[in-house]
Amino acid sequence: MLLLASPALLVVLALVVVPVGWFLGLSVYDGGFTIEHYRRIFVEDVYWRSFALTFRIALVVTAGTLLLGYPVAYAAARLARPWDVLILLCVVLPFWTSVLVRTYAWLVLLQRTGLVNQLLTGLDLVGEPLALVHNEFGTVVAMVHILLPFMVLPLYAAMKKIPDELILAGASLGGGPMHVFRRVFLPLSLPGVVAGLTLVFVLCLGFYITPELLGGGRTIMVSMVVSRNVELYNQWGAASAVAGVLLLAVLAVFFVVGRFLPLDRLLGQK
Amino acid sequence: MAEAVGERVEISEASKAYGPVVALDRVSLDVAPGEFVSLLGPSGSGKTTLLGILGGFVQPSGGSIRFGGRDVTWTPPHKRDVGIVFQNYALFPHMSVGENVAFPLRARRQPRSSWGERVRRTLAMVDLTGYEDRGIHQLSGGQRQRVALARAMVFEPRLILMDEPLSALDKQLREAMQIELRQLHRRLGATIIYVTHDQREALTMSDRVAILRNGRLVQIDRPDRLHDHPADSFVAGFIGEATLLPVARIDDRTVSLAGTALVTARPVPAGADLVLAVQTEKLLLEEGPADGRNRLSGTVVDTVYQGESLRVFLRLADGTGLSLRQPSHFEAVRRIPGVGQPIALSLHPEDTIVVPRTEG
């Protein structure tokens, strides 16, 4: 057994254990053993604000992708042949274009003289163009768009696994469409919801390009703190410490969530 | 619960076309309150389509459906008050047995306080007392079948539809469940419409059996009548173990099978293309005087032992193949001639069934 698993173990060792161990090592060893980098994170306000901002954006974006993604996945899972493919194509097509391109596209759309502001001022809905970008709002909008496929695809996969017969059975037993959705479809789609939430939330925490370009220099997420420490100050130790704290924070979040949500029941019906 | 009266079901001219494909072709069928009617046919005969139309999942292209006099042709499934047992049970995997059975009560907004007692009573009827808290995954196939049944009858529907509910069970369990379903039907009093492709199952359980072929209703009759008075060669071949042999009409009561004249008790149908349907159990090894019975003689080709009976394959003088069944008790087995030996047979005029050949 161990022999059969050894290639997989080697890959995990080479790609996960070694790099993570390496940067964790860097965070406590800077010419000698030190906890200075960690101390700075816990006392300096900048770090705290960045962590709080990162988790807030991650929560909002994750919620946003769920709200937008659930109906899309539902439609794709329940509609007949040409339509389901069309919807999935619309979801996946942007997925195949570069994040950078999509981020710049949002910049074009949301800037002061962008399409959205032109429309709003043209219709006299607002007097002055709105500040839609170079702030947290623009960052969130673009991140929701970019991360949407990571929500829709697991949702779709889970919904596709719900047998049609169960929906028919629900109706035949007297359940109206809303009742069947609430009591049968929704609970059975929860594994997809949990998978999508996890995926999007984790991706949000480490997101870099979009907040960097659309945040206007004020939306400093943790990934940007790491990058600045390396590129501006050449502080590998500080950068590693920030990354280490982020990793710990994520693990803590999942530990707490796991304690309160019956994940076993949601993910595997056994 | 036992005194519920079944629903009268009137199907008139029900049709369904999927593009150019006609799945159901003007089928009319009246089911009396409390009757157990099976829809029997090979796959693609339209029986499942008809069940879908009754359940409200399939919109008919034409015709109408009435339950107890009300037109329900366009009523959505959840307003039909019909219990349905699906082929793969369609139990909700995220609910316990009790929650599954309580689903129709919850959907109907029945007072929560009444659920426990009704679920308990219904589970008792299907021999699952005390199973409320079990998960669906902990149950065997037979137990899931019973839960599906309990769920379909807990709200006391006057009509229950079943779509091959026993097809996933092994033979012994299936036969035991057939008898149980029959008894349950008597106790419930509900009308049951049952889809199956297993003729034995249909004959065992039903008051009447409707035979469908290519989307059309070929014949609907009591099981014994269907067996002894098939409408045409398709029904004769589908029910029982008949050998179909072409015969020529001599007169109103006589046909010729490869030169041998056979007398029939019922008038020979009109038309030139006639078929004699010989069921294996109707053909007897000849004993004593003729007594007006039809005589046939041939040669034994093979004898196959099948447990409770033996099947004897034989050939008539002109090479026509036939087979008959003998119970496997000593007296009967002793009379079967060996392979290659001549065999003398008789067929009673009442069992000499001549039907028109089905076109197509």
Side-chain angles (χ1 to χ4, degrees):
Chain A
M1 277 311 284
L2 198 64
L3 198 69
L4 280 176
S6 57
L9 286 175
L10 277 176
V11 171
V12 171
L13 189 75
L15 297 183
V16 179
V17 178
V18 171
V20 171
W22 188 274
F23 87 72
L24 286 179
L26 280 177
S27 70
V28 291
Y29 188 84
D30 207 349
F33 181 79
T34 170
I35 57 158
E36 170 59 18
H37 299 310
Y38 286 99
R39 199 191 59 80
R40 285 237 319 273
I41 293 171
F42 285 98
V43 293
E44 278 186 32
D45 228 20
V46 202
Y47 287 103
W48 273 116
R49 277 210 303 275
S50 184
F51 271 104
L53 177 78
T54 302
F55 275 89
R56 189 172 73 226
I57 287 181
L59 280 175
V60 173
V61 169
T62 308
T65 54
L66 181 64
L67 284 178
L68 291 177
Y70 200 92
V72 173
Y74 181 84
R78 302 289 298 162
L79 285 179
R81 202 24 12 147
W83 303 111
D84 59 341
V85 177
L86 202 72
I87 290 171
L88 282 182
L89 213 63
C90 288
V91 171
V92 173
L93 218 55
F95 192 41
W96 289 334
T97 43
S98 141
V99 177
L100 203 58
V101 172
R102 278 180 287 164
T103 302
Y104 275 120
W106 277 108
L107 198 60
V108 173
L109 284 175
L110 295 178
Q111 66 194 351
R112 276 185 75 81
T113 55
L115 212 59
V116 175
N117 266 324
Q118 277 181 20
L119 192 72
L120 290 176
T121 49
L123 291 173
D124 266 337
L125 289 172
V126 293
E128 278 285 295
L130 298 176
L132 298 176
V133 79
H134 298 303
N135 54 21
E136 197 177 322
F137 176 81
T139 307
V140 167
V141 168
M143 280 174 71
V144 166
H145 170 242
I146 288 163
L147 292 171
L148 199 56
F150 293 98
M151 181 59 83
V152 172
L153 294 178
L155 278 176
Y156 173 79
M159 290 174 178
K160 214 52 194 173
K161 274 200 282 184
I162 302 173
D164 209 34
E165 266 195 346
L166 292 186
I167 310 301
L168 295 184
S172 82
L173 295 166
M178 269 319 286
H179 187 85
V180 174
F181 176 78
R182 216 155 47 89
R183 296 277 166 208
V184 181
F185 193 89
L186 187 64
L188 289 176
S189 70
L190 282 185
V193 173
V194 172
L197 289 178
T198 311
L199 213 54
V200 172
F201 188 75
V202 170
L203 286 170
C204 274
L205 290 179
F207 228 60
Y208 176 67
I209 294 176
T210 307
E212 181 74 280
L213 291 177
L214 300 186
R218 278 162 296 171
T219 316
I220 313 287
M221 287 178 71
V222 173
S223 57
M224 293 152 72
V225 175
V226 174
S227 141
R228 255 149 242 213
N229 268 320
V230 172
E231 288 178 0
L232 251 50
Y233 311 114
N234 200 21
Q235 290 279 340
W236 284 90
S240 299
V242 172
V245 172
L246 183 63
L247 183 65
L248 262 170
V250 171
L251 291 177
V253 165
F254 280 102
F255 179 74
V256 171
V257 167
R259 291 297 294 268
F260 290 101
L261 271 179
L263 284 181
D264 287 349
R265 261 191 67 193
L266 293 178
L267 293 175
Q269 304 290 338
K270 197 75 197 176
Chain B
M1 195 159 201
E3 302 311 317
V5 185
E7 193 89 277
R8 171 180 299 283
V9 178
E10 295 157 281
I11 303 163
S12 74
E13 301 267 299
S15 297
K16 178 66 187 179
Y18 293 100
V21 183
V22 178
L24 203 63
D25 190 4
R26 284 162 291 145
V27 169
S28 296
L29 181 61
D30 280 7
V31 180
E35 206 179 2
F36 192 128
V37 169
S38 288
L39 306 177
L40 176 64
S43 54
S45 60
K47 55 192 194 302
T48 304
T49 305
L50 182 54
L51 199 80
I53 289 176
L54 289 171
F57 309 130
V58 177
Q59 308 286 324
S61 318
S64 68
I65 308 294
R66 287 168 170 278
F67 290 169
R70 312 170 270 132
D71 190 317
V72 295
T73 315
W74 305 105
T75 308
H78 65 280
K79 292 190 175 147
R80 290 197 179 200
D81 249 357
V82 173
I84 303 185
V85 181
F86 290 84
Q87 191 165 4
N88 302 316
Y89 319 140
L91 296 175
F92 304 125
H94 57 299
M95 298 183 195
S96 68
V97 169
E99 287 168 334
N100 263 283
V101 177
F103 184 92
L105 305 176
R106 184 194 276 269
R108 283 177 172 68
R109 302 183 198 289
Q110 307 265 1
R112 193 178 274 264
S113 54
S114 71
W115 297 357
E117 173 57 18
R118 290 179 69 176
V119 168
R120 200 187 54 72
R121 232 179 336 145
T122 314
L123 283 177
M125 289 187 76
V126 295
D127 266 343
L128 287 177
T129 304
Y131 275 67
E132 279 90 339
D133 295 327
R134 298 278 183 101
I136 298 305
H137 293 274
Q138 295 168 274
L139 303 181
S140 69
Q143 290 169 332
R144 289 182 198 192
Q145 172 57 57
R146 289 157 196 268
V147 175
L149 211 56
R151 192 179 63 172
M153 61 192 211
V154 69
F155 57 103
E156 295 168 39
R158 299 170 67 187
L159 170 63
I160 300 177
L161 307 177
M162 301 192 185
D163 185 8
E164 310 214 14
L166 306 182
S167 60
L169 305 180
D170 61 54
K171 188 165 180 286
Q172 294 215 335
L173 192 54
R174 195 163 64 229
E175 284 174 2
M177 282 299 292
Q178 287 169 6
I179 305 299
E180 264 186 62
L181 275 179
R182 239 178 93 99
Q183 291 164 351
L184 205 56
H185 169 237
R186 292 221 189 91
R187 273 192 286 158
L188 287 175
T191 305
I192 295 184
I193 298 180
Y194 189 99
V195 161
T196 181
H197 64 265
D198 181 341
Q199 48 116 352
R200 234 186 123 79
E201 192 167 288
L203 297 180
T204 303
M205 296 195 290
S206 320
D207 295 318
R208 285 192 301 159
V209 178
I211 302 216
L212 290 132
R213 176 175 181 256
N214 293 341
R216 286 173 184 255
L217 181 64
V218 181
Q219 185 175 6
I220 171 157
D221 225 324
R222 295 199 319 259
D224 57 327
R225 296 257 321 158
L226 214 53
H227 199 266
D228 295 344
H229 303 273
D232 62 12
S233 66
F234 171 76
V235 177
F238 200 67
I239 300 288
E241 287 181 319
T243 308
L244 304 177
L245 303 169
V247 288
R249 181 196 181 89
I250 295 176
D251 59 37
D252 196 32
R253 298 278 173 171
T254 327
V255 291
S256 155
L257 171 67
T260 312
L262 302 175
V263 180
T264 67
R266 278 181 296 280
V268 175
D273 205 359
L274 298 178
V275 167
L276 173 71
V278 190
Q279 296 286 357
T280 52
E281 80 281 3
K282 311 271 192 211
L283 205 55
L284 303 177
L285 290 177
E286 192 191 7
E287 292 162 77
D291 295 339
R293 283 180 289 179
N294 296 309
R295 291 300 177 89
L296 291 166
S297 59
T299 314
V300 175
V301 175
D302 197 5
T303 304
V304 179
Y305 176 77
Q306 291 183 322
E308 80 286 357
S309 65
L310 284 90
R311 194 161 175 186
V312 181
F313 292 89
L314 55 104
R315 213 172 280 291
L316 300 182
D318 69 322
T320 308
L322 262 179
S323 70
L324 68 107
R325 245 178 218 292
Q326 281 290 94
S328 61
H329 59 79
F330 179 71
E331 286 290 339
V333 175
R334 194 180 57 167
R335 298 212 315 273
I336 303 172
V339 172
Q341 298 293 308
I343 185 169
L345 307 157
S346 73
L347 185 65
H348 198 278
E350 284 286 349
D351 294 330
T352 306
I353 297 154
V354 178
V355 290
R357 185 190 296 279
T358 313
E359 65 273 21

